[in-house]
Amino acid sequence: MTKLDQKRVHLALERAATTFDEPDFFYAEIRSRLLERLELFRIKPQWVVDLGTGTGSGVSELKQRFDDASVIGIDAVLAMLQQAGSACRLAVCADSCQLPFPDNSIDLAFSNLAVQWFDNPNRAFEEIARVLRKSGLFMFTTLGPGSFNELRSAWAAVDTYAHVHDFEDMHNIGDALIAAGLRDPVMDMETVSVTYADPTQLADDLRLVGSTNSSSDRNPGLTGPFRWRRMLAAYDTYRDSAARYPVTMEVIYGHAWAGEPDPGVSISGGEARFPLSRLKHRSR
């Protein structure tokens, strides 16, 4: 996996604080789908945290869903929380790897498209497991490795630098959840296609939401107009019948529970082991 330069990540998100809500259609749509999945669980949380809340839209929607709960927005970028204003009355600027809550104090941890920015997801999952109460729920979305395939391929025709971030496979995320002490993880994925009339619009949207190239092995110099034109020429091969440029997004949905793991299951190095006698036969 390509490691991210966290200083660049933080700076890009800081700069995007005042523009994030303008092209927020993708974040908003995936957050809506995650909230729909939340309806499947009969929970009445008292304390809810929105990890990577950004400008607080997730807090507002969670508050509408759980009007008796205290909903706290957590973000590592202070400028985002300042932009949230009244939408996020309870807000804490904190890193996901050092959550400022006591053990067993949170009922629901919610996170929409933030896990891919975590500097150390394994450590963050351990913190989430620590702060969740017994039978507390962690629900999240993140991007999978199939995201931005067209853009990745177009840049690969230009040079060997990393222009698009690598994203973790959902099976690896599930293993990390178990290793962190969370139980019964459920992962699934869907592919969402977005189209643009011009790749420049895509680049502008990514900049406005702070999703610029922060790979440690990115090109240290300027891209330059020649390389940009070569990338556009390679991207042209993907244009659809309406002459629009597709952007494939692989969205991973996941949830896991806090609490003691099943005593019949042993966990070591992210690998779960259990006796064959525990397998249940299912008739067709």
Side-chain angles (χ1 to χ4, degrees):
M1 297 294 296
T2 300
K3 187 170 178 59
L4 298 181
D5 181 338
Q6 286 297 319
K7 289 184 178 180
R8 285 186 65 90
V9 169
H10 191 96
L11 181 60
L13 292 171
E14 192 173 63
R15 289 172 174 170
T18 59
T19 58
F20 186 87
D21 291 334
E22 297 174 26
D24 187 24
F25 65 92
F26 182 73
Y27 279 80
E29 174 61 28
I30 302 306
R31 181 172 59 249
S32 175
R33 297 185 187 191
L34 185 60
L35 286 166
E36 286 180 5
R37 290 168 178 249
L38 190 55
E39 294 178 358
L40 299 174
F41 302 95
R42 295 183 178 179
I43 58 174
K44 293 184 178 180
Q46 294 179 320
W47 290 95
V48 179
V49 293
D50 182 24
L51 299 172
T53 191
T55 56
S57 297
V59 168
S60 297
E61 295 185 23
L62 286 164
K63 187 62 180 174
Q64 291 176 13
R65 184 67 52 90
F66 305 111
D67 55 1
D68 292 330
S70 297
V71 184
I72 308 170
I74 305 292
D75 206 286
V77 181
L78 180 59
M80 285 283 187
L81 296 177
Q82 291 172 332
Q83 192 66 26
S86 61
C88 193
R89 294 180 180 178
L90 293 176
V92 179
C93 186
D95 187 90
S96 58
C97 294
Q98 292 181 309
L99 296 177
F101 305 111
D103 297 356
N104 309 311
S105 59
I106 302 298
D107 301 293
L108 170 64
F110 183 93
S111 183
N112 180 51
L113 295 176
V115 171
Q116 69 267 15
W117 296 117
F118 289 174
D119 184 31
N120 187 340
N122 291 1
R123 176 60 186 144
F125 293 159
E126 289 174 357
E127 275 291 274
I128 292 166
R130 178 186 66 79
V131 303
L132 281 177
R133 288 176 176 164
K134 185 178 181 180
S135 298
L137 177 62
F138 174 39
M139 287 199 73
F140 66 95
T141 59
T142 187
L143 296 182
S147 299
F148 298 106
N149 269 347
E150 301 87 357
L151 186 60
R152 190 189 312 274
S153 178
W155 275 116
V158 177
D159 57 38
T160 59
Y161 290 110
H163 292 271
V164 179
H165 297 168
D166 289 334
F167 301 103
E168 195 64 76
D169 179 86
M170 69 176 181
H171 300 96
N172 295 335
I173 296 174
D175 290 344
L177 293 169
I178 293 174
L182 293 162
R183 61 179 175 86
D184 303 330
V186 176
M187 313 289 297
D188 66 287
M189 178 272 292
E190 71 172 334
T191 299
V192 178
S193 183
V194 182
T195 60
Y196 282 85
D198 186 334
T200 301
Q201 292 179 325
L202 167 60
D204 287 343
D205 278 359
L206 292 175
R207 176 180 54 80
L208 291 173
V209 297
S211 296
T212 51
N213 185 10
S214 297
S215 299
S216 297
D217 54 355
R218 68 191 179 281
N219 184 353
L222 298 175
T223 298
F226 175 71
R227 289 184 177 183
W228 179 256
R229 286 194 296 269
R230 287 187 61 192
M231 186 279 291
L232 292 181
Y235 211 153
D236 272 346
T237 62
Y238 291 99
R239 283 199 295 177
D240 61 21
S241 57
R244 295 182 66 85
Y245 294 83
V247 182
T248 297
M249 306 298 287
E250 181 181 311
V251 182
I252 294 173
Y253 299 85
H255 73 261
W257 299 89
E260 294 297 323
D262 190 317
V265 179
S266 62
I267 301 173
S268 177
E271 182 178 279
R273 299 187 180 190
F274 49 89
L276 290 176
S277 61
R278 297 291 305 281
L279 288 176
K280 294 182 179 180
H281 176 71
R282 183 175 65 180
S283 300
R284 293 189 178 183

